[in-house]
Amino acid sequence: RWAGETSGSAKPAFVGSDGLMLADNVSFKRFDLARHISEDMPPYAAGTWHSAAAGNLLALVGRSSIDVHAIDTGKRLWSATHHAFYPLVSISPDAKWLVSKSTDSLRAFDAATGTGIWTHLADNDLHTSHSRIKWSLDGRRGAAAGNRYVYVWSLAEPRWVARFPHGKSGYHPDVALSPEGQAMAASAAG
């Protein structure tokens, strides 16, 4: 066991098999779990509300933008604006795709270039920060749960797949995908 800390309520993201990133609204640290060392990262993460990492990519969400950086150099690769509340991002396990979720929409991007793939308006159904974006292990399918609906997409083509009622209502909606992306479960509490 090994412990490290940041200055606030950090959002963790694993990078590779032995790296961990922790970002909060004040600091940003990278932990090398194999060598048991930590390092402060450049101040570009200041003001981060949420972060995600995969491969050599790090996505940081602030008040009005999503910024994607190369982890090894810290260089910003691209940026996109968002205008809604509760922004959340996730990078697919293969680091090819980035999906952002906010109160009003889901948006998919090419993770390396920032090219928009699709946008789906969600009618404020995704107004909770508790619902996470989930991926199949191969990164080809994804899903997110809102308060009334489950949203599903396929990035093998890429295309938007479906929005359907999940039959639950309440706070903390969530969804899980099977490893191959062929089965799904949805839940909510409250």
Side-chain angles (χ1 to χ4, degrees), residues 52-65:
N56 189 43
L57 299 176
L58 171 67
L60 303 171
V61 179
R63 179 174 299 276
S64 62
S65 68

Side-chain angles (χ1 to χ4, degrees), residues 6 36 42 48 51 55-56 61 65-66 80-81 83 89 97 102-103 109 121 127 129-130 138 154 160 162 165 167 186:
T6 63
H36 297 251
T48 297
S51 64
N56 189 43
V61 179
S65 68
I66 300 166
T81 60
H83 304 286
V89 293
W97 312 104
S102 60
T103 55
F109 301 89
L121 299 180
H127 71 274
S129 61
H130 298 289
D138 63 6
S154 171
W160 176 257

